[in-house]
Amino acid sequence: MHDLSWPGSYGQENDPPCPPDPPETPRRRKSGALMLSAEEARHVRVAVRKLRRAFGTFRALSVMTGIPASTLRRAANPKSSPTGTLAIRVAAAAGVAVEVLLGGKLVVTTPVIGRAA
């Protein structure tokens, strides 16, 4: 009589055994020093959107900050949580202190093209 136990441990009896699962690598924790409050994160998101308008594209802002354009797009999303490192680099690209950026007092003026200023 046949043994109909279901499911078999690794499939059919003539299948090669499955390799063991790789060991789980420990996840790195983010430093608490670079965590932003909800209000500071909102100010960083607004600053990224303002600077994108001033520079024209996320790609141009990416060149200035050294952060990939896709990361900047994600950081501008209202549901994102930007990091302190991103805030530092965005503040450097804007030419302001990080405290100004995190305080929500960043003023970005777009250049007027075609008229005498």
Side-chain angles (χ1 to χ4, degrees):
M1 192 164 261
H2 290 47
D3 183 11
L4 298 177
S5 61
W6 179 258
S9 60
Y10 291 112
Q12 303 295 324
E13 289 181 18
N14 57 358
D15 287 344
C18 290
D21 291 332
E24 191 172 316
T25 57
R27 292 185 148 215
R28 294 184 350 180
R29 284 197 236 162
K30 291 182 181 178
S31 170
L34 295 177
M35 299 298 288
L36 301 176
S37 68
E39 187 176 338
E40 290 172 339
R42 184 175 57 84
H43 293 313
V44 171
R45 287 190 297 268
V46 170
V48 169
R49 288 193 294 268
K50 284 181 178 181
L51 288 172
R52 198 262 324 146
R53 274 187 245 118
F55 284 104
T57 62
F58 280 114
R59 187 177 302 230
L61 182 58
S62 169
V63 170
M64 293 299 293
T65 59
I67 298 172
S70 60
T71 303
L72 292 171
R73 276 188 206 93
R74 252 184 278 125
N77 184 347
K79 295 180 183 177
S80 72
S81 56
T83 62
T85 305
L86 184 124
I88 292 168
R89 286 188 177 185
V90 168
V96 298
V98 178
E99 292 81 12
V100 172
L101 185 114
L102 295 178
K105 296 179 172 78
L106 178 67
V107 177
V108 178
T109 57
T110 56
V112 178
I113 299 173
R115 288 192 235 170

